[in-house]
Amino acid sequence: MTTVGLAVTDGMLHFELALACEVFGGNPPNGVTGPWYRLSLCGPGPVRVGRFSMEPDHGLDHLSRVDTVIVPGWAEIGQDPPAELVDAVRTAHEAGARVASLCTGAFVLAAAGLLDGHRATTHWAHTQELTERHPRVRVDPDVLYVDNGSVLTSAGKAAAMDLCLHLVRLDHGSSIANTLARRLVVPPHRDGGQAQFVTTPVPAPGSHPLAGLFPWVLQRLDQPLTVEDLAREARMSSRHLGRHFRSVTGTTPLQWLHTQRIRHAQELLETTDDTVDTIASATGMGTATTLRRHFHRTVGVPPDAYRRTFRSRSLPGPEGGDGYETLMP
Protein backbone atom coordinates (compact mmCIF):
# COMPACT_ATOMS: atom_id res chain seq x y z
CA MET A 1 0.00 0.00 0.00
CA THR A 2 1.23 3.51 -0.79
CA THR A 3 0.90 5.71 2.27
CA VAL A 4 0.46 9.44 1.66
CA GLY A 5 1.07 12.15 4.22
CA LEU A 6 -0.58 15.52 3.61
CA ALA A 7 1.41 18.22 5.40
CA VAL A 8 -1.02 20.74 6.91
CA THR A 9 -0.30 23.92 8.87
CA ASP A 10 -1.99 27.28 9.31
CA GLY A 11 -2.07 29.20 6.04
CA MET A 12 -2.41 26.31 3.60
CA LEU A 13 -4.61 26.91 0.52
CA HIS A 14 -7.85 24.97 0.86
CA PHE A 15 -8.28 24.26 -2.87
CA GLU A 16 -5.03 22.31 -3.20
CA LEU A 17 -5.63 20.63 0.17
CA ALA A 18 -9.11 19.45 -0.83
CA LEU A 19 -7.86 18.32 -4.23
CA ALA A 20 -5.18 16.09 -2.71
CA CYS A 21 -7.71 14.66 -0.24
CA GLU A 22 -10.07 13.80 -3.10
CA VAL A 23 -7.39 12.05 -5.19
CA PHE A 24 -5.55 10.17 -2.45
CA GLY A 25 -8.19 9.92 0.27
CA GLY A 26 -11.26 8.96 -1.78
CA ASN A 27 -12.48 5.55 -2.82
CA PRO A 28 -10.32 3.73 -5.38
CA PRO A 29 -11.54 3.97 -8.98
CA ASN A 30 -12.98 0.97 -10.77
CA GLY A 31 -10.29 -1.43 -11.94
CA VAL A 32 -8.00 -1.22 -8.91
CA THR A 33 -7.31 -4.80 -7.82
CA GLY A 34 -4.62 -4.14 -5.22
CA PRO A 35 -4.27 -1.73 -2.31
CA TRP A 36 -5.15 1.94 -2.86
CA TYR A 37 -3.66 4.91 -1.04
CA ARG A 38 -3.91 5.40 2.72
CA LEU A 39 -3.99 9.13 3.44
CA SER A 40 -2.96 10.80 6.69
CA LEU A 41 -3.27 14.48 7.60
CA CYS A 42 -0.09 15.50 9.39
CA GLY A 43 0.20 18.78 11.29
CA PRO A 44 1.49 20.45 14.47
CA GLY A 45 -2.01 20.50 16.03
CA PRO A 46 -5.36 22.07 15.15
CA VAL A 47 -4.78 24.16 12.02
CA ARG A 48 -6.76 26.77 10.15
CA VAL A 49 -7.07 26.47 6.38
CA GLY A 50 -8.92 29.39 4.83
CA ARG A 51 -12.17 29.74 6.78
CA PHE A 52 -12.01 26.21 8.13
CA SER A 53 -10.19 24.51 10.95
CA MET A 54 -9.16 20.86 11.11
CA GLU A 55 -7.59 18.36 13.45
CA PRO A 56 -4.73 16.38 11.84
CA ASP A 57 -4.48 12.63 12.30
CA HIS A 58 -0.80 12.77 13.22
CA GLY A 59 1.97 15.18 14.05
CA LEU A 60 4.41 16.43 11.43
CA ASP A 61 6.92 13.80 12.54
CA HIS A 62 4.65 11.15 10.94
CA LEU A 63 5.71 12.43 7.49
CA SER A 64 8.98 10.51 7.86
CA ARG A 65 6.98 7.26 7.99
CA VAL A 66 4.98 7.62 4.75
CA ASP A 67 5.85 6.80 1.15
CA THR A 68 4.71 10.10 -0.38
CA VAL A 69 4.49 13.57 1.16
CA ILE A 70 2.16 16.17 -0.37
CA VAL A 71 2.71 19.85 0.51
CA PRO A 72 -0.30 21.96 -0.54
CA GLY A 73 -0.10 25.61 -1.55
CA TRP A 74 1.26 28.02 1.03
CA ALA A 75 -0.70 31.29 1.30
CA GLU A 76 1.82 33.52 3.05
CA ILE A 77 4.65 33.31 0.54
CA GLY A 78 5.96 36.70 1.68
CA GLN A 79 6.96 35.01 4.95
CA ASP A 80 9.24 32.09 5.62
CA PRO A 81 7.26 28.85 6.03
CA PRO A 82 7.18 27.42 9.57
CA ALA A 83 10.53 25.93 10.50
CA GLU A 84 8.89 22.79 11.93
CA LEU A 85 7.15 22.16 8.60
CA VAL A 86 10.36 22.70 6.62
CA ASP A 87 12.31 20.39 8.94
CA ALA A 88 9.63 17.69 8.78
CA VAL A 89 9.55 17.74 4.97
CA ARG A 90 13.35 17.59 4.77
CA THR A 91 13.48 14.72 7.26
CA ALA A 92 10.81 12.80 5.35
CA HIS A 93 12.76 13.12 2.11
CA GLU A 94 15.96 12.00 3.82
CA ALA A 95 14.03 8.97 5.10
CA GLY A 96 13.18 8.03 1.51
CA ALA A 97 9.78 9.64 0.94
CA ARG A 98 8.74 11.00 -2.44
CA VAL A 99 7.87 14.68 -1.89
CA ALA A 100 5.48 16.67 -4.09
CA SER A 101 4.40 20.30 -3.74
CA LEU A 102 1.20 21.78 -5.14
CA CYS A 103 1.22 25.40 -6.30
CA THR A 104 3.16 27.60 -3.83
CA GLY A 105 4.02 24.59 -1.70
CA ALA A 106 7.24 24.78 -3.74
CA PHE A 107 8.39 27.54 -1.35
CA VAL A 108 8.38 24.96 1.45
CA LEU A 109 10.42 22.49 -0.61
CA ALA A 110 12.83 25.25 -1.62
CA ALA A 111 13.28 26.30 2.02
CA ALA A 112 14.06 22.67 2.85
CA GLY A 113 16.81 22.67 0.21
CA LEU A 114 15.12 19.93 -1.82
CA LEU A 115 15.04 22.02 -5.00
CA ASP A 116 18.64 23.27 -4.96
CA GLY A 117 20.19 22.66 -8.38
CA HIS A 118 16.96 21.20 -9.72
CA ARG A 119 14.31 22.41 -12.14
CA ALA A 120 11.03 23.31 -10.44
CA THR A 121 7.87 25.32 -10.94
CA THR A 122 5.09 27.03 -9.02
CA HIS A 123 2.13 29.27 -9.83
CA TRP A 124 3.16 31.58 -12.69
CA ALA A 125 2.38 34.68 -10.58
CA HIS A 126 5.03 33.67 -8.01
CA THR A 127 7.82 32.18 -10.13
CA GLN A 128 9.84 35.41 -10.06
CA GLU A 129 9.69 35.58 -6.27
CA LEU A 130 10.70 31.94 -5.99
CA THR A 131 13.68 32.69 -8.23
CA GLU A 132 14.74 35.72 -6.20
CA ARG A 133 14.37 34.06 -2.80
CA HIS A 134 15.97 30.78 -3.84
CA PRO A 135 18.53 31.49 -6.58
CA ARG A 136 19.87 27.92 -6.53
CA VAL A 137 16.53 26.63 -7.84
CA ARG A 138 16.11 26.46 -11.63
CA VAL A 139 12.60 27.87 -11.79
CA ASP A 140 10.63 27.12 -14.97
CA PRO A 141 7.58 29.41 -15.21
CA ASP A 142 6.21 27.81 -18.38
CA VAL A 143 5.26 24.27 -17.39
CA LEU A 144 2.42 22.56 -15.50
CA TYR A 145 4.61 20.34 -13.33
CA VAL A 146 8.17 19.04 -13.01
CA ASP A 147 9.09 15.47 -12.03
CA ASN A 148 12.62 15.07 -10.66
CA GLY A 149 12.00 11.54 -9.44
CA SER A 150 11.77 11.84 -5.66
CA VAL A 151 10.86 15.55 -5.73
CA LEU A 152 7.99 16.97 -7.79
CA THR A 153 6.50 20.45 -8.09
CA SER A 154 3.38 21.77 -9.81
CA ALA A 155 2.03 25.08 -10.97
CA GLY A 156 -1.18 26.46 -9.47
CA LYS A 157 -4.77 25.27 -9.15
CA ALA A 158 -5.69 22.94 -12.05
CA ALA A 159 -2.02 22.01 -12.55
CA ALA A 160 -2.04 20.56 -9.03
CA MET A 161 -4.62 18.06 -10.25
CA ASP A 162 -2.39 17.24 -13.22
CA LEU A 163 0.48 16.41 -10.87
CA CYS A 164 -1.71 14.31 -8.58
CA LEU A 165 -2.97 12.30 -11.56
CA HIS A 166 0.63 11.96 -12.73
CA LEU A 167 1.49 10.35 -9.38
CA VAL A 168 -1.46 7.97 -9.72
CA ARG A 169 -0.30 7.13 -13.24
CA LEU A 170 3.19 6.30 -11.98
CA ASP A 171 1.85 4.15 -9.14
CA HIS A 172 -1.10 2.42 -10.79
CA GLY A 173 -0.80 2.90 -14.55
CA SER A 174 -2.47 5.00 -17.22
CA SER A 175 -5.75 3.07 -17.26
CA ILE A 176 -6.45 3.65 -13.55
CA ALA A 177 -5.39 7.30 -13.75
CA ASN A 178 -7.71 7.83 -16.71
CA THR A 179 -10.60 6.15 -14.89
CA LEU A 180 -10.05 8.39 -11.88
CA ALA A 181 -9.87 11.46 -14.11
CA ARG A 182 -13.20 10.56 -15.69
CA ARG A 183 -14.76 10.23 -12.25
CA LEU A 184 -13.41 13.66 -11.30
CA VAL A 185 -14.54 15.08 -14.68
CA VAL A 186 -11.09 16.43 -15.55
CA PRO A 187 -8.79 15.85 -18.56
CA PRO A 188 -7.09 12.46 -18.14
CA HIS A 189 -3.67 13.73 -19.10
CA ARG A 190 -1.95 17.05 -19.65
CA ASP A 191 1.77 16.70 -20.18
CA GLY A 192 3.94 18.41 -17.56
CA GLY A 193 5.72 20.40 -20.25
CA GLN A 194 2.53 22.10 -21.40
CA ALA A 195 2.42 25.86 -20.92
CA GLN A 196 0.78 27.14 -17.72
CA PHE A 197 -1.26 29.75 -19.56
CA VAL A 198 -3.28 28.47 -22.49
CA THR A 199 -6.12 30.45 -24.06
CA THR A 200 -8.43 27.42 -23.81
CA PRO A 201 -6.83 25.09 -21.22
CA VAL A 202 -9.76 22.66 -21.00
CA PRO A 203 -11.80 22.98 -24.21
CA ALA A 204 -15.32 21.63 -24.14
CA PRO A 205 -16.16 19.06 -26.83
CA GLY A 206 -17.16 20.81 -30.04
CA SER A 207 -16.20 24.24 -28.73
CA HIS A 208 -13.00 24.72 -30.74
CA PRO A 209 -11.83 24.18 -34.35
CA LEU A 210 -9.84 21.05 -33.47
CA ALA A 211 -12.67 19.18 -31.72
CA GLY A 212 -13.17 16.83 -34.67
CA LEU A 213 -9.47 16.49 -35.45
CA PHE A 214 -8.37 15.03 -32.10
CA PRO A 215 -10.42 11.80 -32.26
CA TRP A 216 -9.54 11.42 -35.96
CA VAL A 217 -5.83 11.46 -35.08
CA LEU A 218 -6.19 9.13 -32.10
CA GLN A 219 -7.77 6.51 -34.36
CA ARG A 220 -4.79 6.70 -36.74
CA LEU A 221 -1.75 6.72 -34.47
CA ASP A 222 -0.39 3.72 -36.36
CA GLN A 223 -0.09 5.82 -39.51
CA PRO A 224 2.79 8.18 -40.48
CA LEU A 225 0.81 11.39 -40.06
CA THR A 226 2.29 14.76 -40.97
CA VAL A 227 1.31 18.33 -40.14
CA GLU A 228 -0.01 18.60 -43.68
CA ASP A 229 -2.23 15.54 -43.09
CA LEU A 230 -3.66 17.12 -39.95
CA ALA A 231 -4.18 20.47 -41.67
CA ARG A 232 -5.94 18.80 -44.58
CA GLU A 233 -8.31 16.95 -42.24
CA ALA A 234 -8.98 20.13 -40.27
CA ARG A 235 -9.53 22.02 -43.55
CA MET A 236 -7.10 24.80 -42.76
CA SER A 237 -3.57 25.79 -43.67
CA SER A 238 -0.61 24.41 -41.73
CA ARG A 239 0.04 27.87 -40.33
CA HIS A 240 -3.53 28.24 -39.05
CA LEU A 241 -3.39 24.71 -37.65
CA GLY A 242 -0.29 25.62 -35.66
CA ARG A 243 -2.00 28.70 -34.23
CA HIS A 244 -5.06 26.73 -33.16
CA PHE A 245 -2.94 23.99 -31.60
CA ARG A 246 -0.98 26.53 -29.60
CA SER A 247 -4.21 28.15 -28.43
CA VAL A 248 -6.00 24.92 -27.49
CA THR A 249 -3.18 22.66 -26.26
CA GLY A 250 -0.29 25.01 -25.56
CA THR A 251 2.01 23.05 -27.86
CA THR A 252 2.70 22.31 -31.53
CA PRO A 253 0.86 19.73 -33.67
CA LEU A 254 3.93 17.47 -33.90
CA GLN A 255 4.67 17.64 -30.17
CA TRP A 256 1.04 16.86 -29.36
CA LEU A 257 1.08 13.93 -31.80
CA HIS A 258 4.33 12.66 -30.29
CA THR A 259 2.79 12.80 -26.80
CA GLN A 260 -0.25 10.79 -27.95
CA ARG A 261 2.01 8.13 -29.48
CA ILE A 262 4.00 7.79 -26.26
CA ARG A 263 0.82 7.62 -24.16
CA HIS A 264 -0.57 4.88 -26.39
CA ALA A 265 2.72 2.99 -26.11
CA GLN A 266 2.51 3.22 -22.31
CA GLU A 267 -1.00 1.80 -22.31
CA LEU A 268 0.00 -1.10 -24.58
CA LEU A 269 3.04 -1.89 -22.46
CA GLU A 270 0.87 -1.95 -19.35
CA THR A 271 -2.09 -3.90 -20.69
CA THR A 272 -0.77 -6.27 -23.39
CA ASP A 273 2.03 -8.76 -24.04
CA ASP A 274 2.74 -7.26 -27.47
CA THR A 275 6.39 -7.07 -28.45
CA VAL A 276 8.14 -3.72 -28.66
CA ASP A 277 8.22 -4.14 -32.45
CA THR A 278 4.44 -4.61 -32.53
CA ILE A 279 3.88 -1.61 -30.26
CA ALA A 280 6.22 0.50 -32.40
CA SER A 281 4.06 -0.31 -35.41
CA ALA A 282 0.79 0.32 -33.53
CA THR A 283 1.96 3.74 -32.35
CA GLY A 284 3.38 4.93 -35.65
CA MET A 285 6.98 4.82 -34.43
CA GLY A 286 7.99 2.46 -37.22
CA THR A 287 10.74 0.44 -35.58
CA ALA A 288 11.54 -0.78 -32.09
CA THR A 289 14.75 1.27 -32.17
CA THR A 290 12.84 4.48 -32.83
CA LEU A 291 10.28 3.71 -30.13
CA ARG A 292 12.97 2.90 -27.58
CA ARG A 293 14.82 6.14 -28.31
CA HIS A 294 11.77 8.42 -28.05
CA PHE A 295 10.20 6.50 -25.16
CA HIS A 296 13.40 6.65 -23.08
CA ARG A 297 13.83 10.34 -23.80
CA THR A 298 10.22 11.16 -22.84
CA VAL A 299 9.45 8.76 -19.99
CA GLY A 300 12.92 8.33 -18.51
CA VAL A 301 13.31 4.55 -18.93
CA PRO A 302 13.27 2.11 -21.88
CA PRO A 303 9.97 0.40 -22.81
CA ASP A 304 11.09 -2.95 -21.39
CA ALA A 305 11.95 -1.44 -18.02
CA TYR A 306 8.64 0.43 -18.00
CA ARG A 307 6.74 -2.81 -18.59
CA ARG A 308 8.67 -4.63 -15.86
CA THR A 309 7.85 -1.83 -13.42
CA PHE A 310 4.11 -2.12 -13.95
CA ARG A 311 4.17 -5.90 -14.09
CA SER A 312 6.01 -5.99 -10.74
CA ARG A 313 4.03 -3.35 -8.88
CA SER A 314 1.75 -6.02 -7.39
CA LEU A 315 4.70 -8.01 -6.04
CA PRO A 316 5.85 -7.33 -2.47
CA GLY A 317 8.90 -5.13 -2.25
CA PRO A 318 11.67 -5.25 0.32
CA GLU A 319 10.53 -4.90 3.95
CA GLY A 320 6.87 -5.05 2.97
CA GLY A 321 7.04 -2.34 0.34
CA ASP A 322 4.76 -2.31 -2.68
CA GLY A 323 7.45 -3.18 -5.20
CA TYR A 324 7.20 0.27 -6.83
CA GLU A 325 10.15 1.28 -8.93
CA THR A 326 10.58 4.91 -9.92
CA LEU A 327 10.17 5.72 -13.60
CA MET A 328 12.24 8.88 -13.59
CA PRO A 329 16.00 9.16 -13.11
Side-chain angles (χ1 to χ4, degrees), residues 1 312-325:
M1 176 180 291
S312 66
R313 65 174 180 265
S314 61
L315 300 177
E319 300 182 4
D322 63 358
Y324 173 73
E325 178 181 334

Side-chain angles (χ1 to χ4, degrees), residues 97-110:
R98 176 177 61 180
V99 180
S101 66
L102 309 180
C103 192
T104 50
F107 283 82
V108 177
L109 271 59

Side-chain angles (χ1 to χ4, degrees), residues 80-101:
D80 291 334
E84 57 185 343
L85 172 63
V86 173
D87 290 342
V89 170
R90 183 189 302 114
T91 299
H93 184 257
E94 291 173 349
R98 176 177 61 180
V99 180
S101 66

Side-chain angles (χ1 to χ4, degrees), residues 171-200:
D171 295 340
H172 294 278
S174 299
S175 178
I176 296 301
N178 292 346
T179 299
L180 178 58
R182 283 194 294 274
R183 190 177 78 186
L184 298 174
V185 198
V186 297
H189 179 78
R190 291 199 299 169
D191 186 72
Q194 181 171 316
Q196 286 195 31
F197 182 79
V198 184
T199 305
T200 312

Side-chain angles (χ1 to χ4, degrees), residues 4-166:
V4 177
L6 190 54
V8 293
T9 62
D10 288 336
M12 289 294 180
L13 299 175
H14 60 274
F15 179 86
E16 287 77 7
L17 180 64
L19 183 153
C21 287
E22 180 64 29
V23 171
F24 301 106
N27 294 325
N30 293 334
V32 174
T33 57
W36 188 239
Y37 298 102
R38 186 173 65 205
L39 178 68
S40 299
L41 299 183
C42 306
V47 298
R48 190 158 187 83
V49 180
R51 298 181 180 180
F52 308 99
S53 60
M54 62 174 56
E55 184 74 36
D57 305 313
H58 303 277
L60 287 171
D61 60 329
H62 185 72
L63 294 176
S64 63
R65 294 190 286 276
V66 301
D67 301 311
T68 299
V69 173
I70 305 291
V71 183
W74 171 251
E76 304 296 334
I77 61 170
Q79 305 175 14
D80 291 334
E84 57 185 343
L85 172 63
V86 173
D87 290 342
V89 170
R90 183 189 302 114
T91 299
H93 184 257
E94 291 173 349
R98 176 177 61 180
V99 180
S101 66
L102 309 180
C103 192
T104 50
F107 283 82
V108 177
L109 271 59
L114 303 187
L115 302 181
D116 288 352
H118 295 293
R119 183 166 157 263
T121 194
T122 188
H123 191 290
W124 61 266
H126 305 297
T127 52
Q128 184 59 39
E129 183 165 359
L130 182 61
T131 298
E132 293 173 354
R133 291 178 57 183
H134 299 281
R136 296 184 64 184
V137 180
R138 293 159 45 206
V139 180
D140 189 338
D142 298 320
V143 295
L144 295 177
Y145 58 85
V146 176
D147 183 344
N148 288 312
S150 64
V151 179
L152 306 91
T153 55
S154 85
K157 305 305 177 185
M161 176 63 81
D162 293 312
L163 177 54
C164 288
L165 288 174
H166 174 67

